[in-house]
Amino acid sequence: MRRLQFWLFFLVLVTSAAPLRAQDRLQDRLNVVASFSILGDFVRNVGGERVSVTTLVGPDGDVHVYTPAPADAQKIAAAKLLIINGFGLEGWLPRLLQASGSKAPIVIATRGIAPLKLGSDADPHAWQSVANAKIYVANIRDALVAADPADAEVFRANADNYLVRLDALDREVRQAIAQIPQNHRKVISTHDAFGYFAAGYGIDFIAPLGVSTESEASARDIARIITQVKASGIPAVFLENISDPRLMRRISAETGAKVGGTLYSDSLTDEKGEAPTYIDMVRHNIKALTSALAN
């Protein structure tokens, strides 16, 4: 009888403590703010259950033209770590930082990447090369380790596992590109978001807009691209998930180049969309490209 009472007492203690332990684990998570959705996905893959991740520019958001809200200053004020892309992508960030009063360390995820240049501007879209994505991940891993040394081994193991998956993704992209005839490896996209992809994988992207969606294509730019599409026999134009599709549809109508689908450039989708993670995004883009260009 006493033994039964002991075990009943022990069971009550264990079951009542479990919710407290779960709550403690939530409270112990490192609070990280990432500037936009792709960085947020990298942080989640490296941090796992040991981090709580908030993104300022969420799914299908355009980081180039983002207007911060007062709640964003509160998010940054509460963060233990702020992870940004750099290369001029987050032009709205300095004023937001000032408003937040945050003293959290700021990690530039592109550290160690040589930027491509478009005129005098750095191309900020370095994540479009999977090789660069691995540098992002390494920088994020090191930042999490520095911010939370007690979980360093967890972060390193998560990063190692994710880097293996990125290596496999890079091979997938190269194998897919190899199926596209050399003279078909040219496309039109809305803005210059794919320079690193082009440099890494050998597909030429021509864009009416510059590196930022803030710019507008002039009539001369559009006429030049229409002439180039006709002269070069460029087979497809692509929409982007963050851009107005009307410009691409006009170019398609005037040249006969088919609309090859939608490419994801600067943002992931929500969980129900086609690109809820970085790996999903790259796979979707390469499938769209090969479907439009391989024949």
Side-chain angles (χ1 to χ4, degrees):
M1 185 66 181
R2 289 181 179 177
R3 179 174 294 180
L4 178 60
Q5 289 174 332
F6 170 80
W7 283 112
L8 287 172
F9 177 70
F10 178 76
L11 182 61
V12 169
L13 283 177
V14 170
T15 55
S16 61
L20 293 175
R21 285 199 297 270
Q23 186 176 8
D24 289 343
R25 283 195 296 271
L26 285 172
Q27 291 174 346
D28 287 343
R29 288 181 179 180
L30 184 67
N31 187 8
V32 181
V33 169
S35 60
F36 70 115
S37 58
I38 293 170
L39 285 185
D41 184 55
F42 289 153
V43 177
R44 290 185 186 95
N45 275 281
V46 178
E49 294 183 354
R50 301 309 302 148
V51 299
S52 175
V53 185
T54 301
T55 58
L56 299 177
V57 185
D60 289 314
D62 187 348
V63 65
H64 293 288
V65 297
Y66 184 66
T67 301
D72 292 325
Q74 297 172 3
K75 292 172 185 176
I76 292 179
K80 297 297 183 183
L81 196 64
L82 174 62
I83 297 180
I84 68 171
N85 186 80
F87 289 164
L89 181 66
E90 301 97 342
W92 38 266
L93 185 63
R95 292 181 65 184
L96 181 59
L97 283 172
Q98 185 176 13
S100 72
S102 172
K103 304 298 182 183
I106 300 173
V107 178
I108 300 175
T110 52
R111 183 174 58 84
I113 296 173
L116 297 178
K117 292 286 187 177
L118 287 171
S120 60
D121 296 325
D123 182 345
H125 307 89
W127 61 84
Q128 288 292 348
S129 158
V130 179
N132 284 343
K134 293 172 62 179
I135 298 175
Y136 279 73
V137 169
N139 287 333
I140 290 168
R141 174 200 62 206
D142 294 345
L144 295 181
V145 167
D148 180 12
D151 287 313
E153 291 309 309
V154 174
F155 299 144
R156 292 190 181 108
N158 288 345
D160 287 346
N161 290 336
Y162 190 51
L163 289 169
V164 167
R165 295 174 63 199
L166 291 179
D167 281 333
L169 180 66
D170 186 66
R171 290 192 295 271
E172 284 182 41
V173 175
R174 295 184 187 282
Q175 290 166 3
I177 297 293
Q179 300 171 18
I180 302 173
Q182 191 71 41
N183 62 341
H184 279 207
R185 297 180 187 180
K186 294 180 181 179
V187 298
I188 306 291
S189 62
T190 307
H191 82 295
D192 271 319
F194 296 96
Y196 294 90
F197 188 97
Y201 302 113
I203 289 185
D204 291 334
F205 285 81
I206 301 160
L209 307 183
V211 296
S212 172
T213 52
E214 287 183 292
S215 60
E216 292 186 8
S218 68
R220 179 180 296 178
D221 291 333
I222 296 169
R224 174 181 55 80
I225 286 176
I226 289 172
T227 300
Q228 187 173 2
V229 171
K230 291 178 177 178
S232 303
I234 295 173
V237 301
F238 284 88
L239 313 177
E240 289 181 34
N241 66 317
I242 62 167
S243 300
D244 188 330
R246 289 175 294 182
L247 176 59
M248 290 295 100
R249 295 194 189 281
R250 175 184 167 188
I251 293 173
S252 173
E254 295 195 23
T255 62
K258 63 184 175 183
V259 176
T262 298
L263 299 178
Y264 292 90
S265 55
D266 298 10
S267 174
L268 303 179
T269 65
D270 61 22
E271 290 297 323
K272 296 180 180 179
E274 296 175 308
T277 72
Y278 174 78
I279 289 177
D280 290 330
M281 180 190 80
V282 174
R283 283 179 173 154
H284 169 88
N285 286 350
I286 196 59
K287 182 177 179 181
L289 288 167
T290 52
S291 296
L293 304 179
N295 298 316

